[in-house]
Amino acid sequence: MFTNVSSELWALYGFYSSILLLKLSTAFTLTMGARVKHNIWPNTEDAERFKGKVDGTNDEVERTRRMHRNDMENIIPFLFLAFLYITTNPSLNIARCHFLVFTVARFLHSLCYYFKRSRFAFNFGVMVNVSLAVQCIMYFA
């Protein structure tokens, strides 16, 4: 199954997965920055150490936390679906289109969410995940 996957598809998957995993693994820095800026901490020992307070209501901190959680809820399924998808030996151009649209949609969604703008880009990422899932179901059925 995995030996059928072309080196171009593996490279494509590796490239976009790496970008998305980098985004996911660095997203916490926005939350940490907001916590430091407002001196708000998630637990009492940190609040005592930094002479701050525990507060779960600061909009900036909570917004960055929700952004990170939303990335986890969407990027992780994409990584699994995209992995299964490349094993179906799809067209390189169609795979590239799926991966590019999803990646751009995730960055746009985060920017729009952070700056309190319409989050239309979220729909494109969901559509890509649905498309990948349907194609995999049809292939493996």
Side-chain angles (χ1 to χ4, degrees), residues 16-130:
Y16 285 101
S17 295
S18 297
I19 291 170
L20 290 166
L21 286 169
L22 181 63
K23 178 187 187 317
L24 186 59
S25 63
T26 58
F28 79 92
T29 59
L30 288 175
T31 303
M32 184 52 69
R35 288 192 186 287
V36 169
K37 176 180 171 184
H38 299 287
N39 203 18
I40 294 172
W41 305 99
N43 51 57
T44 53
E45 57 271 19
D46 288 339
E48 289 170 3
R49 179 176 178 205
F50 296 108
K51 297 174 181 34
K53 61 182 177 176
V54 175
D55 182 5
T57 61
N58 180 276
D59 184 56
E60 186 177 358
V61 172
E62 292 306 308
R63 182 168 289 279
T64 57
R65 286 182 67 239
R66 287 190 303 269
M67 256 179 24
H68 189 212
R69 185 177 65 224
N70 188 270
D71 272 349
M72 288 188 289
E73 292 168 351
N74 288 275
I75 291 173
I76 294 170
F78 170 82
L79 295 174
F80 283 105
L81 288 168
F83 177 78
L84 290 173
Y85 178 69
I86 66 168
T87 67
T88 69
N89 211 11
S91 156
L92 183 63
N93 288 332
I94 293 173
R96 180 178 289 115
C97 182
H98 277 87
F99 296 177
L100 176 64
V101 167
F102 184 85
T103 302
V104 170
R106 290 312 309 163
F107 278 91
L108 284 176
H109 176 264
S110 292
L111 285 171
C112 291
Y113 193 81
Y114 186 77
F115 292 109
K116 303 177 183 178
R117 301 288 182 244
S118 172
R119 294 176 297 280
F120 69 92
F122 174 80
N123 297 325
F124 291 101
V126 170
M127 287 189 290
V128 167
N129 274 349
V130 169

